[in-house]
Amino acid sequence: MSKLIEVAPIHETGKGAGRVLTMSTIAFTLMFAVWLMFGILGVRIQEEFKLSDEQLSWISALAVLNGSMWRLPAGIITDRIGGRKVTLFLLFATAIPAYLVSTAQNYYMLLVLAFLVGFAGNLFSVGTAWNSAWYSKDRQGLALGVFGAGNVGASVTKFIGPALIVATAGSTYALGVQGGWRLIPVIYAVLLVIVGVATWLIVPRVDRAPGSAKPLSEMLKPLKDVRVWRFSLYYVAVFGAYVALSAWLPKYYVDNFGIDLALAGLLTATFIFPASLLRPVGGWMSDRWGARKVMYFTFALMLVTSGILMMPNGHITIVHPDGAETQHLHYGIQLPWFVVLVFLLGCAMGFGKAAVFKHIPEYFPDNVGSVGGLVGMLGGLGGFILPPLFAYSKTWSGFPSSTFFVIFILTVICAVWMHVTIVRMLHREEDPKHAQTLERPVKEDQS
């Protein structure tokens, strides 16, 4: 074991860091595509199995659940044995249920397989801990931002899915593989095996494991810190809502704007791309100006965009004493403006995701695996809770735009908690007994 694990110097950029970052990002991009493939496949699955919106939402929700619930132990294990082994295990293990999705014959079988495929989502906390171990503190923000840009994998199915589904529908291939939506998970299963083999060959055999000599109790100790839970809530808003919308938007476009699935997938990509590809920019901004300022900007932009998007289309009807009716305050958002606002919402989430994870190696440099795992887990669980909440809020209110009302309320809670904490910290700083520098994160208020 000693020949395969490097314990020190753990806070310096390692010689093989570039290979680790490259392969972990490729693997994460693919795994994210697998994790969220039901966003596109779900429309055809709903048609074939005659599912309600609520039933369909649970397919994506269960995938997100299993892709979130193991992030804490996955991050801890990565710190203890290195990211190479854990990444390889996840790639090969996910390939099996991904292939089996193509054989699903009923709704309940789909639920089970969607849950198992969701295991792919846990690669995030593995890659975060793995790259943090290989990069020095002054480069971690950008490195984690580049790795996190693998979120763009959510758009892969949106691009290739509709065309492949239409082109191959009704066809049968080798080993009895069916065309249409059933072909997509088979392609992903093959790609998972290929990337797994490439990762095994390319990344350094001697890995870094900063927690290899630490007892489990020491690794879990930071989880008692209230800051960890506050960062987790931020991540629910910027990542959990991102995951939920990535799966929900194709159907939203089809149902509310009357467009076909292919165009809905492309328009959803205009949300996914900025929310993913701007993550490295958010990491760079956090390195340069501080993660706190980036979070303020993130929440402000999310509040403005979701606040407009949550307004329902329609008008107010006033019935006069003589029985006459007049209509006032007509409002209806057109498709181009909707796309622009969702794009800006994606930009905000891209910056915010990087800023949240910039906090972690700064405040908890020796426990990135456990802290990052918990933050990632709770953020992912937000992605599990939100799709059903979108569906039920639409049923209760009758307004499709209630989706964005849910996001608006979540963002308000995060922004208020963050601002109250910072104001409290500034008041403490005015007291000579508690004088401190804002740029020293270890001294931040614990609330």
Side-chain angles (χ1 to χ4, degrees), residues 104-118:
Q105 298 301 316
N106 57 64
Y107 175 61
Y108 297 103
M109 188 176 179
L110 271 172
L111 288 177
V112 172
L113 291 172
F115 179 78
L116 294 176
V117 164

PDB file of all heavy atoms in Angstrom, residues 104-118:
ATOM      1  N   ALA A 104     -35.575  -2.479 -19.357  1.00  0.00           N
ATOM      2  CA  ALA A 104     -36.709  -2.240 -18.451  1.00  0.00           C
ATOM      3  C   ALA A 104     -38.045  -2.495 -19.151  1.00  0.00           C
ATOM      4  O   ALA A 104     -38.267  -2.055 -20.286  1.00  0.00           O
ATOM      5  CB  ALA A 104     -36.656  -0.816 -17.911  1.00  0.00           C
ATOM      6  N   GLN A 105     -38.942  -3.210 -18.466  1.00  0.00           N
ATOM      7  CA  GLN A 105     -40.227  -3.571 -19.049  1.00  0.00           C
ATOM      8  C   GLN A 105     -41.427  -2.942 -18.341  1.00  0.00           C
ATOM      9  O   GLN A 105     -42.546  -3.047 -18.830  1.00  0.00           O
ATOM     10  CB  GLN A 105     -40.385  -5.102 -19.034  1.00  0.00           C
ATOM     11  CG  GLN A 105     -39.349  -5.827 -19.853  1.00  0.00           C
ATOM     12  CD  GLN A 105     -39.356  -5.404 -21.312  1.00  0.00           C
ATOM     13  OE1 GLN A 105     -40.430  -5.269 -21.916  1.00  0.00           O
ATOM     14  NE2 GLN A 105     -38.182  -5.179 -21.888  1.00  0.00           N
ATOM     15  N   ASN A 106     -41.193  -2.324 -17.177  1.00  0.00           N
ATOM     16  CA  ASN A 106     -42.304  -1.690 -16.468  1.00  0.00           C
ATOM     17  C   ASN A 106     -41.785  -0.556 -15.595  1.00  0.00           C
ATOM     18  O   ASN A 106     -40.569  -0.380 -15.428  1.00  0.00           O
ATOM     19  CB  ASN A 106     -43.084  -2.711 -15.630  1.00  0.00           C
ATOM     20  CG  ASN A 106     -42.205  -3.444 -14.641  1.00  0.00           C
ATOM     21  OD1 ASN A 106     -41.639  -2.845 -13.719  1.00  0.00           O
ATOM     22  ND2 ASN A 106     -42.064  -4.763 -14.820  1.00  0.00           N
ATOM     23  N   TYR A 107     -42.713   0.200 -15.043  1.00  0.00           N
ATOM     24  CA  TYR A 107     -42.369   1.392 -14.263  1.00  0.00           C
ATOM     25  C   TYR A 107     -41.533   1.057 -13.035  1.00  0.00           C
ATOM     26  O   TYR A 107     -40.543   1.742 -12.748  1.00  0.00           O
ATOM     27  CB  TYR A 107     -43.661   2.096 -13.849  1.00  0.00           C
ATOM     28  CG  TYR A 107     -43.471   3.277 -12.931  1.00  0.00           C
ATOM     29  CD1 TYR A 107     -42.728   4.391 -13.335  1.00  0.00           C
ATOM     30  CD2 TYR A 107     -44.039   3.291 -11.657  1.00  0.00           C
ATOM     31  CE1 TYR A 107     -42.557   5.484 -12.499  1.00  0.00           C
ATOM     32  CE2 TYR A 107     -43.881   4.388 -10.820  1.00  0.00           C
ATOM     33  CZ  TYR A 107     -43.139   5.473 -11.241  1.00  0.00           C
ATOM     34  OH  TYR A 107     -42.969   6.550 -10.410  1.00  0.00           O
ATOM     35  N   TYR A 108     -41.878  -0.011 -12.332  1.00  0.00           N
ATOM     36  CA  TYR A 108     -41.166  -0.323 -11.096  1.00  0.00           C
ATOM     37  C   TYR A 108     -39.742  -0.800 -11.364  1.00  0.00           C
ATOM     38  O   TYR A 108     -38.826  -0.522 -10.592  1.00  0.00           O
ATOM     39  CB  TYR A 108     -41.967  -1.355 -10.298  1.00  0.00           C
ATOM     40  CG  TYR A 108     -43.311  -0.823  -9.885  1.00  0.00           C
ATOM     41  CD1 TYR A 108     -44.468  -1.206 -10.559  1.00  0.00           C
ATOM     42  CD2 TYR A 108     -43.418   0.115  -8.866  1.00  0.00           C
ATOM     43  CE1 TYR A 108     -45.705  -0.688 -10.203  1.00  0.00           C
ATOM     44  CE2 TYR A 108     -44.646   0.645  -8.502  1.00  0.00           C
ATOM     45  CZ  TYR A 108     -45.783   0.240  -9.182  1.00  0.00           C
ATOM     46  OH  TYR A 108     -47.001   0.775  -8.829  1.00  0.00           O
ATOM     47  N   MET A 109     -39.551  -1.514 -12.476  1.00  0.00           N
ATOM     48  CA  MET A 109     -38.197  -1.892 -12.867  1.00  0.00           C
ATOM     49  C   MET A 109     -37.375  -0.662 -13.206  1.00  0.00           C
ATOM     50  O   MET A 109     -36.190  -0.566 -12.853  1.00  0.00           O
ATOM     51  CB  MET A 109     -38.257  -2.840 -14.065  1.00  0.00           C
ATOM     52  CG  MET A 109     -36.920  -3.452 -14.444  1.00  0.00           C
ATOM     53  SD  MET A 109     -37.109  -4.655 -15.792  1.00  0.00           S
ATOM     54  CE  MET A 109     -35.390  -5.154 -16.016  1.00  0.00           C
ATOM     55  N   LEU A 110     -38.007   0.312 -13.840  1.00  0.00           N
ATOM     56  CA  LEU A 110     -37.322   1.573 -14.154  1.00  0.00           C
ATOM     57  C   LEU A 110     -36.910   2.308 -12.881  1.00  0.00           C
ATOM     58  O   LEU A 110     -35.816   2.887 -12.814  1.00  0.00           O
ATOM     59  CB  LEU A 110     -38.225   2.469 -14.990  1.00  0.00           C
ATOM     60  CG  LEU A 110     -38.148   2.309 -16.509  1.00  0.00           C
ATOM     61  CD1 LEU A 110     -39.242   3.126 -17.174  1.00  0.00           C
ATOM     62  CD2 LEU A 110     -36.780   2.744 -17.027  1.00  0.00           C
ATOM     63  N   LEU A 111     -37.774   2.324 -11.880  1.00  0.00           N
ATOM     64  CA  LEU A 111     -37.454   2.994 -10.627  1.00  0.00           C
ATOM     65  C   LEU A 111     -36.202   2.386  -9.983  1.00  0.00           C
ATOM     66  O   LEU A 111     -35.300   3.105  -9.537  1.00  0.00           O
ATOM     67  CB  LEU A 111     -38.626   2.918  -9.654  1.00  0.00           C
ATOM     68  CG  LEU A 111     -39.852   3.768  -9.964  1.00  0.00           C
ATOM     69  CD1 LEU A 111     -40.942   3.509  -8.927  1.00  0.00           C
ATOM     70  CD2 LEU A 111     -39.498   5.256  -9.991  1.00  0.00           C
ATOM     71  N   VAL A 112     -36.143   1.060  -9.956  1.00  0.00           N
ATOM     72  CA  VAL A 112     -34.999   0.375  -9.349  1.00  0.00           C
ATOM     73  C   VAL A 112     -33.714   0.674 -10.135  1.00  0.00           C
ATOM     74  O   VAL A 112     -32.677   1.012  -9.552  1.00  0.00           O
ATOM     75  CB  VAL A 112     -35.244  -1.148  -9.292  1.00  0.00           C
ATOM     76  CG1 VAL A 112     -33.983  -1.875  -8.840  1.00  0.00           C
ATOM     77  CG2 VAL A 112     -36.403  -1.453  -8.350  1.00  0.00           C
ATOM     78  N   LEU A 113     -33.788   0.562 -11.451  1.00  0.00           N
ATOM     79  CA  LEU A 113     -32.594   0.788 -12.273  1.00  0.00           C
ATOM     80  C   LEU A 113     -32.167   2.251 -12.262  1.00  0.00           C
ATOM     81  O   LEU A 113     -30.970   2.548 -12.272  1.00  0.00           O
ATOM     82  CB  LEU A 113     -32.861   0.315 -13.702  1.00  0.00           C
ATOM     83  CG  LEU A 113     -32.988  -1.202 -13.866  1.00  0.00           C
ATOM     84  CD1 LEU A 113     -33.432  -1.563 -15.272  1.00  0.00           C
ATOM     85  CD2 LEU A 113     -31.666  -1.890 -13.533  1.00  0.00           C
ATOM     86  N   ALA A 114     -33.136   3.170 -12.234  1.00  0.00           N
ATOM     87  CA  ALA A 114     -32.787   4.593 -12.151  1.00  0.00           C
ATOM     88  C   ALA A 114     -32.040   4.876 -10.850  1.00  0.00           C
ATOM     89  O   ALA A 114     -31.062   5.637 -10.822  1.00  0.00           O
ATOM     90  CB  ALA A 114     -34.045   5.453 -12.238  1.00  0.00           C
ATOM     91  N   PHE A 115     -32.500   4.246  -9.776  1.00  0.00           N
ATOM     92  CA  PHE A 115     -31.815   4.399  -8.491  1.00  0.00           C
ATOM     93  C   PHE A 115     -30.379   3.893  -8.570  1.00  0.00           C
ATOM     94  O   PHE A 115     -29.444   4.568  -8.124  1.00  0.00           O
ATOM     95  CB  PHE A 115     -32.586   3.645  -7.410  1.00  0.00           C
ATOM     96  CG  PHE A 115     -31.954   3.712  -6.044  1.00  0.00           C
ATOM     97  CD1 PHE A 115     -32.084   4.842  -5.250  1.00  0.00           C
ATOM     98  CD2 PHE A 115     -31.218   2.640  -5.552  1.00  0.00           C
ATOM     99  CE1 PHE A 115     -31.502   4.911  -3.993  1.00  0.00           C
ATOM    100  CE2 PHE A 115     -30.627   2.693  -4.300  1.00  0.00           C
ATOM    101  CZ  PHE A 115     -30.777   3.828  -3.519  1.00  0.00           C
ATOM    102  N   LEU A 116     -30.175   2.728  -9.176  1.00  0.00           N
ATOM    103  CA  LEU A 116     -28.828   2.152  -9.271  1.00  0.00           C
ATOM    104  C   LEU A 116     -27.930   2.972 -10.190  1.00  0.00           C
ATOM    105  O   LEU A 116     -26.745   3.187  -9.885  1.00  0.00           O
ATOM    106  CB  LEU A 116     -28.922   0.710  -9.769  1.00  0.00           C
ATOM    107  CG  LEU A 116     -29.622  -0.273  -8.820  1.00  0.00           C
ATOM    108  CD1 LEU A 116     -29.749  -1.650  -9.467  1.00  0.00           C
ATOM    109  CD2 LEU A 116     -28.883  -0.366  -7.488  1.00  0.00           C
ATOM    110  N   VAL A 117     -28.464   3.452 -11.298  1.00  0.00           N
ATOM    111  CA  VAL A 117     -27.687   4.291 -12.214  1.00  0.00           C
ATOM    112  C   VAL A 117     -27.251   5.576 -11.513  1.00  0.00           C
ATOM    113  O   VAL A 117     -26.170   6.114 -11.775  1.00  0.00           O
ATOM    114  CB  VAL A 117     -28.509   4.610 -13.482  1.00  0.00           C
ATOM    115  CG1 VAL A 117     -27.889   5.778 -14.253  1.00  0.00           C
ATOM    116  CG2 VAL A 117     -28.587   3.395 -14.381  1.00  0.00           C
ATOM    117  N   GLY A 118     -28.083   6.050 -10.607  1.00  0.00           N
ATOM    118  CA  GLY A 118     -27.763   7.283  -9.894  1.00  0.00           C
ATOM    119  C   GLY A 118     -26.468   7.235  -9.128  1.00  0.00           C
ATOM    120  O   GLY A 118     -25.918   8.280  -8.764  1.00  0.00           O
TER     121      GLY A 118
END
